[in-house]
C-alpha cells in the first residue's frame, strides 16, 4: 500500500510540474506575441513587422548580442539583466519600459523566454563579472579625467562629454547604422544606469552591439573606478543643461543624418507608414501616411503623408512650417489633433533636434499618396460616448485598420 501511495505521489508531483511548465510556456508565448513580436519578430531575429521603421534595429536575440549585461563581453546576459531592461526600457531608443504594464512575474517569464531564444546563438551563458570595491580618494576625479583622454574617450564623446568628438559622425552599431555617442552630461542618457557603480560595471563589461569598447581585460579596476567617478561629475541636472546647438552638431555630421536617427528612434514610421493585413509595414511607403484609426466618440483620423511630394505630401512646406507642426501642432493648413499627432510630447524637443528632423523629412523621396482629411463623429455620438466614459461603462481606445487609406493607384491586393 505504501508503495502505491509513493508511486501515486511521485506521479502527481510530476504531472503538476509538467502542467505548471506548460502553462508558463503558454504564458511566455502569449506575452511575447502581444508585446515583443511586432519589433523583434516571431523567432526573435529582430525582423518584426515594425523593424524597418526603427533605428537602431530591434535586438536580434538569435545573435546573442546584448548591450547591457553584467556578464563578460561575448556571453549571454543573466535573467536579472534582461528583467531590468524589460522593466526599465532603454531611454533614447524605441524600447519602452514595461514595469507599469506587466507584473514582476510576467517580466521574469518574458526574460526567460528571451534568453531561450538567445541560446540558439553560438554564445555561451555568462556569469556576472566580479566587481571590485573602491575606496574613494580625492585624486580619483583628476586621475579619471586623465584616463578619459588617455583611453580616447574624447574621440567620440568630445572634450566636454556631450557626444561631439571628432569621430562622432563615424560611430556605427553592428548593423552599420549611425549611433549617436552618449551625451555624458545627461544622466538620462546612460541606458545602463548613471550611478558611479553602474558606470564602472559597463566600462568593465562593455556594451554589446555598439562601437563602445570594453576595458575589463585591458585597464586596471582602479582606473575604471576613477574614470567612472569622473564621468559622474560631468552629469548636469536637466534644468541646468545647455542643449547642443545646431551649429555644433553640423560640424560633426550632416543634419539630415542625425534627423533620420531621431525620426526612426522616435518611431514616427509606426503611425505614418501604412501596413499590410498581416501587420508588416510597406517599406516602399515609408512615411507616406495612409494609416487610419478610429476613436469612438471622436472620429476617424488619417495619418499624413510626410514625404516631399508637393501635391499629396509636405513638399511645399518650409522647414520652419515643419518645425512648427512638430513642436506646436500648427500645420500650414490647420491645427493638428493632439490625439492624432501628439505634438504636446514633442514641445520640449530642443531646437537642434527638431531642426534635424525637419531637414531629414525634406530629403525624403516624393511618394504620391493622397490621404483623406479627418472625419469627426456627429455631436450626438461624441456626447453619448463621453457620458459612457464618465460613468465607467466605456474606456477610450483606438481601432486600427490595415491597408492604405490614401489614393496611390497601387493594387489593393498588395495590402
Amino acid at each position: 500500500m505504501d508503495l502505491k501511495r509513493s508511486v501515486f505521489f511521485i506521479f502527481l508531483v510530476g504531472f503538476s510540474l509538467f502542467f505548471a511548465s506548460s502553462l508558463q510556456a503558454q504564458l511566455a508565448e502569449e506575452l511575447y506575441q502581444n508585446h515583443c513580436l511586432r519589433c523583434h519578430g516571431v523567432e526573435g531575429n529582430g525582423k518584426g513587422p515594425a523593424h524597418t521603421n526603427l533605428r537602431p534595429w530591434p535586438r536580434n536575440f538569435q545573435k546573442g548580442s546584448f548591450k547591457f549585461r553584467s556578464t563578460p563581453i561575448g556571453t549571454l546576459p543573466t535573467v536579472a539583466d534582461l528583467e531590468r531592461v524589460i522593466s526599465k526600457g532603454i531611454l533614447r531608443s524605441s524600447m519602452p519600459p514595461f514595469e507599469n504594464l506587466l507584473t514582476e512575474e510576467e517580466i521574469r517569464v518574458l526574460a526567460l523566454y528571451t534568453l531561450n531564444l538567445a541560446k540558439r546563438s553560438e554564445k555561451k551563458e555568462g556569469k556576472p563579472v566580479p566587481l571590485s570595491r573602491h575606496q574613494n580618494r580625492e585624486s580619483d576625479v583628476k586621475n579619471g579625467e586623465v584616463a578619459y583622454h588617455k583611453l580616447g574617450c574624447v574621440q567620440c564623446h568630445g572634450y566636454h562629454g556631450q557626444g561631439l568628438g571628432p569621430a562622432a559622425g563615424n560611430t556605427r552599431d553592428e548593423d552599420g547604422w549611425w549611433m549617436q555617442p552618449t551625451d555624458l552630461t545627461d544622466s538620462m542618457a546612460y541606458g545602463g544606469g548613471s550611478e558611479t557603480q553602474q558606470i564602472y560595471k559597463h566600462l568593465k563589461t562593455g556594451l554589446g552591439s555598439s562601437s563602445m569598447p570594453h576595458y575589463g581585460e585591458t585597464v586596471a579596476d582602479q582606473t575604471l573606478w576613477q574614470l567612472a567617478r569622473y564621468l559622474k561629475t560631468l552629469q548636469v541636472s536637466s534644468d541646468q543643461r545647455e542643449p547642443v546647438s545646431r551649429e555644433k552638431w553640423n560640424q560633426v555630421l550632416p543634419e539630415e543624418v542625425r534627423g533620420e536617427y531621431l525620426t526612426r528612434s522616435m518611431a514616427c514610421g509606426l503611425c505614418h507608414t501604412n501596413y499590410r493585413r498581416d501587420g508588416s509595414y510597406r517599406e516602399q511607403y515609408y512615411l507616406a501616411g495612409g494609416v487610419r484609426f478610429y476613436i469612438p466618440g471622436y472620429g476617424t483620423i488619417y495619418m499624413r503623408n510626410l514625404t516631399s511630394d508637393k501635391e499629396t505630401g509636405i513638399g511645399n512646406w518650409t522647414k520652419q512650417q515643419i518645425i512648427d507642426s512638430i513642436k506646436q501642432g500648427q500645420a500650414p493648413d490647420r491645427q493638428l489633433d493632439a490625439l492624432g499627432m501628439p505634438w504636446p510630447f514633442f514641445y520640449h524637443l530642443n531646437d537642434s533636434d527638431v531642426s534635424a528632423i525637419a531637414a531629414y523629412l525634406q530629403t525624403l523621396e516624393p511618394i504620391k499618396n493622397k490621404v483623406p482629411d479627418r472625419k469627426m463623429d456627429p455631436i450626438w455620438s461624441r456626447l453619448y460616448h463621453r457620458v459612457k466614459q464618465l460613468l465607467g461603462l466605456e474606456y477610450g481606445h483606438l481601432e486600427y485598420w490595415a491597408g492604405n487609406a490614401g489614393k496611390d493607384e497601387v493594387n489593393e491586393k498588395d495590402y
Side-chain angles (χ1 to χ4, degrees):
M1 189 70 175
D2 291 338
L3 179 61
K4 290 183 178 179
R5 288 179 178 175
S6 298
V7 172
F8 177 74
F9 179 75
I10 292 173
F11 171 79
L12 186 62
V13 170
F15 178 78
S16 299
L17 291 173
F18 173 78
F19 185 70
S21 177
S22 298
L23 287 178
Q24 187 179 57
Q26 182 179 353
L27 173 62
E29 190 167 344
E30 289 178 357
L31 288 170
Y32 184 83
Q33 289 178 350
N34 290 336
H35 302 290
C36 312
L37 183 149
R38 194 168 187 80
C39 293
H40 294 284
V42 176
E43 301 295 329
N45 61 359
K47 297 293 179 66
H51 90 279
T52 56
N53 289 319
L54 307 176
R55 294 290 185 278
W57 277 348
R59 188 73 63 222
N60 181 349
F61 301 138
Q62 293 186 10
K63 285 186 176 180
S65 181
F66 291 81
K67 193 169 188 178
F68 302 109
R69 313 165 326 283
S70 60
T71 58
I73 193 79
T75 64
L76 298 178
T78 65
V79 174
D81 292 333
L82 295 175
E83 285 179 314
R84 183 190 179 283
V85 172
I86 295 171
S87 176
K88 301 297 183 182
I90 302 177
L91 288 172
R92 313 293 164 83
S93 81
S94 303
M95 173 63 188
F98 287 92
E99 59 183 348
N100 295 322
L101 182 63
L102 303 177
T103 66
E104 290 184 3
E105 178 59 25
E106 289 174 329
I107 289 175
R108 181 168 181 80
V109 168
L110 260 183
L112 287 167
Y113 187 86
T114 302
L115 189 57
N116 284 331
L117 290 174
K119 288 178 180 178
R120 299 178 184 181
S121 70
E122 298 179 353
K123 296 187 178 179
K124 299 179 180 179
E125 294 185 53
K127 294 182 179 180
V129 173
L131 303 178
S132 66
R133 294 186 177 183
H134 180 68
Q135 187 67 38
N136 293 340
R137 300 179 178 86
E138 290 185 7
S139 60
D140 280 349
V141 174
K142 183 62 178 177
N143 290 335
E145 183 178 8
V146 172
Y148 182 80
H149 289 265
K150 185 176 180 180
L151 294 175
C153 309
V154 172
Q155 291 300 310
C156 293
H157 297 284
Y159 288 96
H160 303 291
Q162 292 181 301
L164 292 172
N170 299 318
T171 52
R172 297 287 186 273
D173 65 10
E174 63 180 1
D175 296 309
W177 299 109
W178 178 77
M179 290 294 296
Q180 178 177 337
T182 299
D183 181 350
L184 300 174
T185 68
D186 182 4
S187 62
M188 300 295 285
Y190 290 73
S194 61
E195 296 303 317
T196 303
Q197 184 173 0
Q198 294 169 319
I199 299 171
Y200 157 74
K201 180 181 75 174
H202 292 299
L203 287 171
K204 190 173 179 68
T205 61
L207 302 180
S209 72
S210 77
S211 54
M212 170 72 186
H214 73 286
Y215 299 106
E217 299 171 359
T218 59
V219 179
D221 265 23
Q222 180 178 342
T223 302
L224 294 181
W225 273 110
Q226 293 170 344
L227 178 56
R229 288 201 65 196
Y230 170 68
L231 296 181
K232 181 65 179 176
T233 67
L234 295 180
Q235 297 173 22
V236 181
S237 61
S238 58
D239 59 334
Q240 296 179 344
R241 289 182 64 248
E242 288 291 333
V244 179
S245 69
R246 173 187 172 190
E247 289 72 25
K248 285 185 178 180
W249 266 116
N250 290 348
Q251 292 174 8
V252 176
L253 77 166
E255 189 175 36
E256 63 272 14
V257 174
R258 184 162 171 269
E260 180 184 10
Y261 168 80
L262 291 169
T263 301
R264 291 184 183 271
S265 64
M266 289 167 59
C268 302
L270 297 188
C271 288
H272 287 279
T273 305
N274 59 72
Y275 51 91
R276 302 179 182 87
R277 301 191 192 284
D278 64 359
S280 61
Y281 283 85
R282 302 173 67 213
E283 298 177 30
Q284 70 273 31
Y285 270 59
Y286 178 61
L287 295 183
V291 175
R292 170 182 58 171
F293 63 86
Y294 173 65
I295 306 175
Y298 185 78
T300 302
I301 296 177
Y302 303 88
M303 294 294 98
R304 188 184 290 268
N305 180 351
L306 299 182
T307 72
S308 59
D309 185 70
K310 293 186 176 182
E311 181 182 347
T312 66
I314 60 174
N316 287 322
W317 293 16
T318 66
K319 187 176 183 180
Q320 187 59 49
Q321 287 174 328
I322 297 175
I323 290 173
D324 290 342
S325 68
I326 295 173
K327 292 194 67 172
Q328 301 174 22
Q330 185 59 61
D333 52 350
R334 63 180 174 85
Q335 180 68 35
L336 300 176
D337 294 285
L339 292 174
M341 166 59 178
W343 60 266
F345 292 100
F346 304 143
Y347 178 78
H348 295 290
L349 284 172
N350 63 51
D351 291 341
S352 64
D353 286 345
V354 73
S355 176
I357 293 171
Y360 168 63
L361 294 180
Q362 289 184 313
T363 68
L364 293 174
E365 290 294 323
I367 298 175
K368 190 173 295 296
N369 190 36
K370 186 173 177 55
V371 177
D373 293 329
R374 60 183 176 177
K375 296 179 180 178
M376 306 301 294
D377 280 353
I379 186 65
W380 64 263
S381 176
R382 281 181 270 173
L383 289 173
Y384 169 73
H385 285 282
R386 183 57 178 161
V387 170
K388 289 184 67 176
Q389 291 168 5
L390 290 173
L391 294 176
L393 302 176
E394 178 181 278
Y395 296 94
H397 65 280
L398 303 178
E399 297 176 3
Y400 286 86
W401 282 275
N404 180 17
K407 294 182 179 180
D408 60 355
E409 300 178 358
V410 175
N411 192 327
E412 180 68 20
K413 292 181 180 179
D414 291 339
Y415 305 160

